Amino acid sequence: MTTICPCHSGKTYQECCEPVHQDAHAATLPEQLMRARYSAHVLGLVDFVVDTYHASCHAEKQRDAIADSINSEWVKLDVHSSENAASADEGYVTFSAYFTQDGEQLCLTERSRFVREQGQWFYIDGTFPEQSRDERFNQPINALKVGRNDPCICGSGKKFKKCCG
């Protein structure tokens, strides 16, 4: 059975994240690993997520917290940018991951840093872009008064209706 990949790449799971889930070395770019990690959250693949953290993160010690995160209801992924660092073995991916918690849709936006060691990419850390000072940011999405073509308040650069709306 052919299914669309949970990472929203538009490809099938079989041609997108499944090969990386079977062998993390199959990710040749940081974005591929980031997409596979998101898909692993959707599919409940705790071992994959733990195994693709850099060793300095000591993810095994945080396995229960990682599993709790994975057990959220993941809705959508938007990749905003992928960029190389000064070294060929370091890269960044900025994305927004949407999930539902207690009936409310939330958005996690992060600029993740990945490093490659012995031919395999690993997630090492991330930063969170400064939140908008827009007052609307602190309101529930369903209470917002946002025009159809207004920029999204999460700072993605997309129109609200195509992002958090």
Side-chain angles (χ1 to χ4, degrees):
M1 179 178 176
T2 303
T3 58
I4 298 298
C5 194
C7 78
H8 297 267
S9 65
K11 300 177 183 175
T12 66
Y13 174 65
Q14 293 76 16
E15 66 182 345
C16 189
C17 289
E18 184 178 45
V20 180
H21 288 159
Q22 292 172 349
D23 178 5
H25 286 88
T28 59
L29 299 169
E31 183 177 333
Q32 288 174 298
L33 180 62
M34 191 280 310
R35 286 182 175 279
R37 285 173 56 87
Y38 173 84
S39 290
H41 277 73
V42 173
L43 300 171
L45 305 177
V46 176
D47 289 339
F48 179 83
V49 174
V50 169
D51 293 344
T52 56
Y53 270 98
H54 188 266
S56 66
C57 298
H58 306 289
E60 190 59 49
K61 292 179 182 177
Q62 300 172 34
R63 179 178 280 278
D64 290 343
I66 292 168
D68 285 345
S69 169
I70 287 172
N71 289 328
S72 297
E73 183 183 338
W74 295 95
V75 178
K76 179 175 81 167
L77 173 70
D78 284 328
V79 176
H80 305 298
S81 66
S82 294
E83 46 192 291
N84 299 324
S87 163
D89 291 326
E90 185 177 27
Y92 297 89
V93 180
T94 303
F95 66 92
S96 293
Y98 301 85
F99 60 100
T100 302
Q101 182 176 315
D102 299 326
E104 184 179 357
Q105 184 172 329
L106 303 171
C107 177
L108 166 73
T109 300
E110 181 177 313
R111 181 176 187 248
S112 297
R113 182 169 63 120
F114 296 86
V115 294
R116 182 170 46 194
E117 291 182 353
Q118 299 177 350
Q120 182 178 334
W121 286 102
F122 295 93
Y123 170 85
I124 191 162
D125 58 21
T127 57
F128 303 100
E130 284 188 35
Q131 293 184 347
S132 169
R133 295 178 192 250
D134 189 327
E135 245 179 66
R136 299 173 300 171
F137 195 83
N138 296 321
Q139 298 177 29
I141 288 175
N142 60 1
L144 291 175
K145 303 289 186 229
V146 181
R148 289 184 44 82
N149 294 313
D150 288 350
C152 190
I153 61 173
C154 78
S156 68
K158 295 183 177 185
K159 292 180 181 180
F160 180 76
K161 67 183 179 186
K162 295 284 187 176
C163 193
C164 292

